[in-house]
Amino acid sequence: MCTLTAELTPERFCLTMNRDESRERAEEAPPCISAPPHLPQLLAPRDGGAGGTWIGVNDQGVVGCLLNLYDDGSEPKPPSGTATRGVLVEFALRGSSRTDAVRAFRDTCVPTRYSPFRLVIFGVTPADDESAAREVGTLFVWRGNGALEELPLGEEWTFLTSSSWNPLEVLPWRESEFRAWREGGAERRGLLPTFHVSQPKDREAWAPLLSREKTSTRSITQVEIDRATGKISMRYWSRPTPDASTPTLEVELPRGHRVPRKLA
């Protein structure tokens, strides 16, 4: 259960993601930089239990995000022994461009090992990079059966959300709230889109800033890439509230040189 928005303009890319999880799940580890051998450096928060991640960016400007999938086409129960989905983002972040990341994900992911998911990959290049026009987003969808779907994302805005509870009503309501937020000027409080901390009275169980008896929004993570300077930043809000503005933590990832990388 998560909510993601992403805006791509000639000046910058900004992706913000709410992570909704069980109130009893282990505490998350905040974003930190790691350096896998022969691969781009990556910046990501970590799940406190399984150790995987739901969002990350590498030093080549490749961004990956994971959302669980609960729609009517998904298997109602994954097979026992299903592998943690927290490794999927790291499969994508092995690539040094969106094209490389998509290929790395296809080559590495065996979808039948995992519960249903959606995985988003963006490749964000500097504004003067000759490949910038080709760097769009890709959405992978695994419904628990059939084939792994691959869909293009080429809009200025991307919106994705998931809910295991009452999805036929919650998902359209959130989408309507997102449209209203955009049409109202896409307000931000500091660096944080106010949509992500929206929690209308009597809609706490529906809201982007989720609050239910057993689940809540555990964190908000934001990736921003300045396409003029190449600067890559990740901001992290732990246990956010409706009045949140200043992030708990902000980390800058130095941009790496665009050189051939060995894909494991």
Side-chain angles (χ1 to χ4, degrees), residues 59-128:
D59 65 8
Q60 300 296 311
V62 176
V63 182
C65 298
L66 172 73
L67 294 90
N68 294 347
L69 183 61
Y70 304 104
D71 71 10
D72 292 339
S74 301
E75 292 285 342
K77 292 183 180 180
S80 59
T82 294
T84 176
R85 287 168 287 193
V87 300
L88 297 173
V89 168
E90 294 184 66
F91 291 167
L93 296 183
R94 296 178 179 186
S96 59
S97 67
R98 184 198 60 84
T99 301
D100 285 347
V102 167
R103 183 172 63 247
F105 185 76
R106 285 198 214 105
D107 291 347
T108 311
C109 177
V110 181
T112 52
R113 297 184 60 202
Y114 305 97
S115 299
F117 65 81
R118 286 179 291 178
L119 183 94
V120 183
I121 300 172
F122 286 97
V124 185
T125 57
D128 60 355

Side-chain angles (χ1 to χ4, degrees), residues 4-256:
L4 176 155
T5 66
E7 182 185 21
L8 178 64
T9 71
E11 294 75 32
R12 69 171 194 150
F13 171 82
C14 187
L15 182 149
T16 308
M17 184 175 183
N18 290 26
R19 188 198 190 203
D20 305 331
E21 267 296 351
S22 167
R23 294 182 183 273
E24 298 180 357
R25 198 173 182 106
E27 198 69 25
E28 301 169 1
C32 65
I33 297 172
S34 59
H38 309 297
L39 295 170
Q41 291 190 354
L42 63 91
L43 172 59
R46 296 286 174 178
D47 182 80
T53 190
W54 57 99
I55 182 171
V57 58
N58 71 20
D59 65 8
Q60 300 296 311
V62 176
V63 182
C65 298
L66 172 73
L67 294 90
N68 294 347
L69 183 61
Y70 304 104
D71 71 10
D72 292 339
S74 301
E75 292 285 342
K77 292 183 180 180
S80 59
T82 294
T84 176
R85 287 168 287 193
V87 300
L88 297 173
V89 168
E90 294 184 66
F91 291 167
L93 296 183
R94 296 178 179 186
S96 59
S97 67
R98 184 198 60 84
T99 301
D100 285 347
V102 167
R103 183 172 63 247
F105 185 76
R106 285 198 214 105
D107 291 347
T108 311
C109 177
V110 181
T112 52
R113 297 184 60 202
Y114 305 97
S115 299
F117 65 81
R118 286 179 291 178
L119 183 94
V120 183
I121 300 172
F122 286 97
V124 185
T125 57
D128 60 355
D129 190 305
E130 63 180 9
S131 66
R134 301 193 297 273
E135 292 293 286
V136 294
T138 298
L139 172 65
F140 284 99
V141 182
W142 169 242
R143 302 182 186 279
N145 51 34
L148 179 65
E149 301 171 35
E150 183 178 334
L151 306 168
L153 294 172
E155 301 290 334
E156 177 185 353
W157 280 94
T158 297
F159 170 75
L160 294 170
T161 191
S162 64
S163 177
S164 61
W165 174 78
N166 195 18
L168 295 181
E169 295 187 47
V170 170
L171 302 187
W173 181 83
R174 286 183 186 168
E175 186 168 2
S176 174
E177 290 290 294
F178 173 68
R179 285 198 303 269
W181 173 77
R182 279 189 59 192
E183 291 167 0
E187 179 189 7
R188 293 173 180 265
R189 186 183 303 128
L191 300 166
L192 183 61
T194 55
F195 171 75
H196 283 268
V197 289
S198 172
Q199 194 182 82
K201 183 176 174 57
D202 299 324
R203 289 286 184 172
E204 293 88 348
W206 300 51
L209 189 66
L210 182 69
S211 180
R212 298 176 187 161
E213 180 182 358
K214 295 184 178 181
T215 57
S216 67
T217 298
R218 297 286 299 268
S219 65
I220 300 175
T221 307
Q222 183 179 79
V223 175
E224 183 172 18
I225 302 177
D226 186 315
R227 299 186 67 199
T229 65
K231 179 181 177 181
I232 300 171
S233 302
M234 179 173 281
R235 305 179 184 106
Y236 180 77
W237 289 260
S238 177
R239 307 281 183 173
T241 59
D243 61 352
S245 59
T246 304
T248 309
L249 178 69
E250 181 170 354
V251 182
E252 183 176 342
L253 177 64
R255 187 127 195 173

